[in-house]
Amino acid sequence: MFALNLIKGCLPAYLLATSLVFADALPTVTVDHRDPIETDVSMSLAQVIDLTLEKHPDNAWLKALEEESAALEQRSKSWFAGAPSVGLFFQEATSGTLHYGDASVKAPLWNFGQRDAEKAVAKQAEISAHTQSAAIKLRVAGLVRMALWDMELQQIRLDQAHNEVHVFEQLLAKVERRVELGDLPRADLLLAQTELLQKRAVLTLAEAEVMHARKRYSTITQMTKVPGNYRETLADIAEVQQNHPDLVAINDLIARMQAEVEAIRAVGSGQPDVAVGINTDHGPDERSNKTESFNISVTVPFGGQAHLAPRVAAANVELNRLVAEREQLRRDLDQTHHEAEHNLEVNRAELTIAENLKQAAVEHLKMTELSFSLGEINLLDLLKIQSRAQQAILNAKERSVILERDKAMYNQSVGVTP
């Protein structure tokens, strides 16, 4: 019985010592993987977008469009509708009594109005190449904007996670001292340890999300530098206008296809050919008559409309597909603009609410911490209020960033490129 009482008397001290040792041994897990990102205060958002566009996969396509427009222009400047050809013909009788030779140059001619139609195609191709570049630049700007604000949002969450770990480490130290003094039960020590471990788990996940966000940015931009300031002024545009880069780009594609349809129609039944040549005809000896002549011939095709109709129909199919895409694009742009405008209005209101909630939560937390230190409330109540206060602080910070992101996304929706 004495031994049993001795064990009972020593057990609380043993459990306390075990808890304290466990508290000192709480693991601090860090993520070794790092994606370094440097801030360059001399770099602007516009410069980042331009540098990203230079390395973007679509850049090769844009260069090909420019080369195509140059080739079309060169063809439209040609005097002939196709490549000229040279023909040589020689005939000799088996008896050797007749020699006949012929040399000619043959060239396909433009139909009436066909060359002007080809010039229109070349001009529209050049215009379309430039507007496609503007549309792709806007698309790249949207990717860069989202990547930058996602990084900042994840960084705020990481900073908050660091702060919460620090707060709970301090709380755990206070709980340990009060448990040693007998002011708090050992269950509170285990509760504080559990909360700290959970906060460290959140910190680890937050670090991973920051690394993911940085990797997305470096993948999109192919660089590791971010501009010092990328906040944007809200564009004073109330709706999607006709000069939106995406609308301009598809309108120019439609204009080019219309020009191509007219150019195909201008081919008509085919290309007329003109041939100019000379021929000689003489006998086997000097006494034979020798004849040299100059000739010219023109070949005009006819009845080719039935063969041309499928090409015109195929071009019209592509033209109407682009028209349908334009109508769908207009609807999509209006929907995107509406969502961006709505998000902006909602987040402005939510930011005001979040700031008020943060202020109230911080004041409440101060009162609760004082009450806990005086023994008026238990640890569980403190943890609940502390968690609510930390969430309110995080919400206010997030809403501030989200509002700036929404400004950038609104500018994106109305087609404004930095």
Side-chain angles (χ1 to χ4, degrees), residues 14 17 30 37 54-55 63 125 150 156 167 211 215 231 242 275 282 381 406 416:
Y14 171 76
T30 58
I37 292 292
E54 291 178 2
K55 303 173 185 177
K63 290 181 179 178
D150 185 43
I156 282 178
V167 168
M211 296 304 110
K215 183 60 178 178
R231 282 163 173 75
Q242 287 299 321
H282 61 87
D381 291 335
D406 288 343
V416 175

Side-chain angles (χ1 to χ4, degrees), residues 191-253:
L191 180 59
Q193 292 168 351
T194 301
E195 290 293 326
L196 178 56
L197 287 174
Q198 290 177 347
K199 296 302 179 183
R200 287 179 178 174
V202 171
L203 174 61
T204 302
L205 294 177
E207 288 179 341
E209 290 301 323
V210 168
M211 296 304 110
H212 293 331
R214 290 180 176 181
K215 183 60 178 178
R216 282 192 293 271
Y217 174 80
S218 61
T219 300
I220 291 171
T221 62
Q222 294 295 296
M223 66 179 70
T224 58
K225 292 183 178 181
V226 298
N229 181 23
Y230 44 88
R231 282 163 173 75
E232 300 182 40
T233 302
L234 190 64
D236 187 18
I237 302 176
E239 60 184 10
V240 177
Q241 300 177 348
Q242 287 299 321
N243 62 353
H244 189 288
D246 289 342
L247 286 176
V248 173
I250 197 167
N251 281 332
D252 287 337
L253 277 177

Side-chain angles (χ1 to χ4, degrees), residues 391-408:
Q391 187 61 49
I393 294 172
L394 177 59
N395 286 342
K397 292 179 180 178
E398 286 183 341
R399 284 298 160 191
S400 178
V401 173
I402 290 174
L403 181 60
E404 294 298 327
R405 183 192 66 185
D406 288 343
K407 291 179 182 178

